[in-house]
Amino acid sequence: MMALIDIVSSAGLWAAVLRIATPLIFGTLGALLCERAGVLNLGIEGIMTFGAMIGWLAVFHGADLWTGLLVAAFAGAVFGLLHALLTVTLGLSQHVTGLGITLFASSLSYFVFRLVVPLAGTPPTIVPFQPLDIPLLSSLPFLGPALFAQTAPTYLAIFLALAMGYLIFRTPLGLTIRMTGENPHAAEAQGIDPIRIRYGAIIAGSALMAVGGAFLTLAAFNSFFPTMVQGRGWISIALVVFASWRPGRALFGALLFAFFDAFQLRLQTVLGGYVPYQLFLMTPYLLSIAALAVMARRARVPQALMQPYRRGER
């Protein structure tokens, strides 16, 4: 019991929670924005993988770290445009299109990486984002190393979660997005162009997804390997449901999953000699499924989610 208390009261645990949660926050916000406008984007796993690769590749070839994030965002926006073209303009299945983009983007990531970077025993590395030293705050006992010694993209992710909450529920644009996801024909009757709104939401949401992937190579690690996203995109899709399509709850859900993940890693050092490590790896997913099952029963799905829109039709 004392060992568990020591783990929970460790500043290192909470620092790791924020670090692990950051790509999930970006991915969940991106998926949430798409779904609020009525479009399911299952291309998230591939978009995050490509964002991780192209952002790292840009920095590896001389760009600065922030430019690497922008390159990743632009690449994600391009995949978002493709997804919007297929699902909004052509009205194709959002499930099939999203999975197709995941397969295409993931494969393209590996192909481009191996085309540009020669095969080597040790992957080449870059100098990633470094933790910020915030005057006064970083030197606070416990809170300093836990909360105020993170990299800049982590603070950006938290800010975007709060900003998106304000955008969705406190601005005319947010009302327009929500109306498009609930009843695009009613939005059309009010002079809103649902097609343009859906295009914008998908493109912006996909850009956020790619930034989440780029965080892995530009801040969490310093190199790229094809399997590094490891299902974070699918977790983000589940977190949107857990959050009931609300950005504030999405932030909480990402932090909760990250806590489970960080906790099991440290628990292995205490009980690893007695319990198979596979059980520890399962723990965050099992607890997340349990939390999702409880929250999903009260979630209110956008009424027009996954429904193709045709102008003038009802």
Side-chain angles (χ1 to χ4, degrees), residues 73-277:
F74 178 78
V78 171
F79 281 109
L81 179 62
L82 174 61
H83 187 64
L85 175 65
L86 295 174
T87 59
V88 179
T89 301
L90 300 181
L92 302 181
S93 168
Q94 296 177 13
H95 293 94
V96 175
T97 299
L99 293 175
I101 288 178
T102 280
L103 293 173
F104 172 62
S106 299
S107 301
L108 183 63
S109 300
Y110 185 69
F111 174 76
V112 172
F113 178 72
R114 283 306 177 204
L115 191 66
V116 177
V117 179
L119 185 63
T122 303
T125 61
I126 61 168
V127 178
F129 280 98
Q130 299 300 309
L132 296 177
D133 184 15
I134 303 175
L136 299 180
L137 294 179
S138 296
S139 59
L140 290 174
F142 185 79
L143 291 178
L147 303 179
F148 301 112
Q150 301 291 331
T151 59
T154 294
Y155 299 117
L156 176 62
I158 296 172
F159 170 78
L160 287 176
L162 300 177
M164 187 175 291
Y166 180 83
L167 170 71
I168 294 292
F169 294 106
R170 294 290 186 271
T171 67
L173 177 59
L175 178 61
T176 299
I177 293 171
R178 286 187 286 130
M179 185 181 294
T180 301
E182 294 288 344
N183 191 334
H185 299 290
E188 182 185 21
Q190 296 298 317
I192 297 169
D193 186 351
I195 292 178
R196 188 168 72 174
I197 294 299
R198 286 190 170 183
Y199 259 83
I202 296 168
I203 291 171
S206 299
L208 287 174
M209 296 172 187
V211 172
F215 172 84
L216 296 173
T217 49
L218 302 184
F221 306 101
N222 60 359
S223 61
F224 171 78
F225 52 94
T227 59
M228 70 186 314
V229 174
Q230 293 184 326
R232 289 178 174 87
W234 310 128
I235 295 168
S236 296
I237 294 291
L239 286 176
V240 173
V241 182
F242 172 85
S244 300
W245 289 267
R246 292 178 174 270
R249 292 183 184 178
L251 174 61
F252 171 74
L255 292 172
L256 183 63
F257 180 88
F259 171 78
F260 292 152
D261 198 11
F263 185 73
Q264 67 87 14
L265 288 172
R266 283 154 179 78
L267 201 59
Q268 288 188 44
T269 64
V270 178
L271 302 176
Y274 308 97
V275 181
Y277 76 93

